[in-house]
Amino acid sequence: MNPHSVLVKPVISEKSYGLMDDGAYVFVVDPRASKVEIRHAVETTFGVRVVSVNTMNRKGKRKRNRRVATFGRRPDTKRAIVRLAGDDRIELFES
């Protein structure tokens, strides 16, 4: 899998900013990507050393359409928490 297609977007939230103090960064990733592919993608894209990768599959919420009495769904997503080695930082999040 192409390293640039593995990482979809970074997650910007209060919890992800709290994890940055510990050297961990959160990304939305391709659902088919494995931990090894995510590690390789982060290392090649940002030039950092990755210590560990934790992943979670998040089920999309069910949302109601107000006009019609039907229900829709938000898409399912896969997130990865990537912990970096030592003093490595990703400048994308810092600025």
Side-chain angles (χ1 to χ4, degrees):
M1 202 175 234
N2 184 7
H4 295 292
S5 66
V6 171
L7 302 175
V8 176
K9 65 180 180 178
V11 175
I12 307 298
S13 66
E14 287 185 36
K15 187 172 184 178
S16 68
Y17 275 109
L19 289 172
M20 275 191 253
D21 297 335
D22 300 332
Y25 297 89
V26 183
F27 294 95
V28 175
V29 296
D30 189 301
R32 298 167 297 178
S34 67
K35 289 184 179 185
V36 175
E37 291 172 335
I38 295 167
R39 174 190 200 121
H40 179 57
V42 171
E43 287 178 345
T44 57
T45 304
F46 299 108
V48 294
R49 295 169 296 152
V50 174
V51 174
S52 67
V53 176
N54 294 353
T55 60
M56 62 186 108
N57 289 311
R58 298 188 60 191
K59 199 159 179 85
K61 290 183 178 180
R62 188 175 117 165
K63 300 303 263 180
R64 185 175 68 90
N65 188 347
R66 292 184 182 194
R67 294 183 202 166
V68 188
T70 60
F71 288 92
R73 285 182 47 90
R74 289 188 179 164
D76 298 340
T77 58
K78 183 173 186 177
R79 290 186 178 199
I81 300 173
V82 178
R83 196 165 299 277
L84 302 182
D87 293 333
D88 286 353
R89 297 278 176 235
I90 296 177
E91 297 301 322
L92 173 71
F93 287 96
E94 303 297 331
S95 56

